[in-house]
Each structure stands twice: as C-alpha cells, then as structure tokens.
Amino acid sequence: MRAVVLHCTLKKSPERSNTELLSAVVENDLRERGVDVHPIRVVDRNVPPGVVTDMGDGDEWPAIHEELLRSEILIVATPTWLGRPSSVAQRVLERMDAMISEKDDEGRPVAYNRVAGVVVTGNEDGAHHVISEVSGALVDIGYTVPGQAWTYWNMGPGPGPDFTQTDHGHEWSVSTGKAMASNLHAAAEALSKNPIPAPPS
C-alpha cells in the first residue's frame, strides 16, 4: 500500500515546518503498518494556479498527479492562516479539481477507492473549519474520508508559541494522529477488497 502526503506549508525547504512535524506522526504510524509513504512539500515545486492537470511550461503538478494515482492514501497537511487552509492547500485542491472528470478503465472517477485525511496546525482557532473545507473538497473529487481521519494542533485564539516551541497539546495531537493513520489504513484495506463501482450512467 502506498500513501502520498501533500505538505501545504508556506515555508520552502529547508525551513522547519510545524505542519510537517505533526504530519510525521501519521506518516511514521503508516510506515509501521507497512505503507510506503511519499511526502511532497508542494511549495518547493513549480505548481501554477489552474484547474487542469497539466498547465505546460514547466508545470510540476503532473508528476504530483501521478503520485496521487499511484497511492491508495492521501494526506493533505496544511497550516491555518486567518482561520482558513493555506493558499498552497487551496491551490492543490484547485489543481485536483480536474480529477473529477478523469476516469479509470472501468469508468470510475480516478479518486474512487482511495482514502484521504487532513493534518492541520496553527496558532489561531479554526482547525475544525479547515478540516471541514479540505475534507469536503476531497469528497467532491471522489476520495473516501473515513471517520476521524484527521489530527490538529493549535494554541487557541491569539498569538503564541508554535508546535515546535511548546509541548502543549502534543499528547492529544499524537494520539489522534495515530488514530487517523489506523482509520486510513483500515478504510483503504476495506476498499481494496470491496471497491466502489462506477456510478450509474
């Protein structure tokens, strides 16, 4: 089984990302379950805005798109800014919009029988809103989002330390991250044995 993790931090490598550090909890648990995990920091790639799979002229999204099609599990990891997903996460979802009209050999949307979850960090409130926005978009595209396939961390409203600067809330975020990995893995295995059929024409 294979998983791809789209890190939607605004920070380019090698700058440390809080969101990647929390996502690593989920990634490591999936690896312990035998899943081949492939993280991608999207901001390091040339991904122009658009709603098609290939924008041409050096667009690096097609390679990411291929990773999505090779993976049974997708994790979108995003910080919270102004109570919303990052602009990188929004761009990822817009590029994935093209997948709605792409079909496999059996006439199913290509995201069918793949599962997805969300990791969120941020110093302000809004994690549940971000989870809802991203999960809703992934369901529209065709992914299956299992129950409690998310984890998050924040300090509540107002400024404060980030995930790397405090132990506040880490225990809860880690436990929910491990539950997320378990639920994603279980749902992916179930779909591999009992795939969703093509929609009626």
Side-chain angles (χ1 to χ4, degrees), residues 21-85:
L21 288 173
L22 178 54
S23 179
V25 171
V26 185
E27 295 171 35
N28 290 337
D29 195 280
L30 286 172
R31 289 188 180 100
E32 289 175 4
R33 297 171 188 275
V35 178
D36 188 12
V37 181
H38 292 261
I40 298 172
R41 193 183 283 208
V42 179
V43 75
D44 290 339
R45 308 289 185 93
N46 179 31
V47 179
V51 291
V52 297
T53 295
D54 191 346
M55 301 289 292
D57 297 326
D59 181 14
E60 293 185 63
W61 178 258
I64 298 174
H65 177 265
E66 286 301 313
E67 289 290 337
L68 294 173
L69 298 185
R70 294 176 62 196
S71 302
E72 293 84 7
I73 298 172
L74 165 64
I75 296 168
V76 176
T78 177
T80 310
W81 291 112
L82 300 173
R84 304 184 63 82

Side-chain angles (χ1 to χ4, degrees), residues 15-147:
E15 192 171 355
R16 200 176 193 195
S17 163
N18 296 293
T19 310
E20 281 191 345
L21 288 173
L22 178 54
S23 179
V25 171
V26 185
E27 295 171 35
N28 290 337
D29 195 280
L30 286 172
R31 289 188 180 100
E32 289 175 4
R33 297 171 188 275
V35 178
D36 188 12
V37 181
H38 292 261
I40 298 172
R41 193 183 283 208
V42 179
V43 75
D44 290 339
R45 308 289 185 93
N46 179 31
V47 179
V51 291
V52 297
T53 295
D54 191 346
M55 301 289 292
D57 297 326
D59 181 14
E60 293 185 63
W61 178 258
I64 298 174
H65 177 265
E66 286 301 313
E67 289 290 337
L68 294 173
L69 298 185
R70 294 176 62 196
S71 302
E72 293 84 7
I73 298 172
L74 165 64
I75 296 168
V76 176
T78 177
T80 310
W81 291 112
L82 300 173
R84 304 184 63 82
S86 75
S87 56
V88 177
Q90 182 61 33
R91 181 165 298 189
V92 160
L93 295 172
E94 288 169 349
R95 294 303 299 270
M96 289 178 68
D97 181 80
M99 295 172 68
I100 295 174
S101 58
E102 296 173 6
K103 303 291 193 294
D104 66 14
D105 293 339
E106 297 182 30
R108 295 174 296 208
V110 292
Y112 269 35
N113 300 306
R114 305 179 197 278
V115 301
V118 188
V119 173
V120 179
T121 58
N123 284 341
E124 69 269 19
D125 213 356
H128 278 287
H129 173 74
V130 172
I131 291 164
S132 297
E133 281 207 354
V134 176
S135 295
L138 293 170
V139 167
D140 279 352
I141 293 163
Y143 280 88
T144 296
V145 178

Side-chain angles (χ1 to χ4, degrees), residues 142-167:
Y143 280 88
T144 296
V145 178
Q148 299 184 348
W150 48 260
T151 187
Y152 70 87
W153 177 90
N154 64 40
M155 282 292 294
D162 61 30
F163 185 76
T164 64
Q165 297 169 328
T166 177
D167 291 331

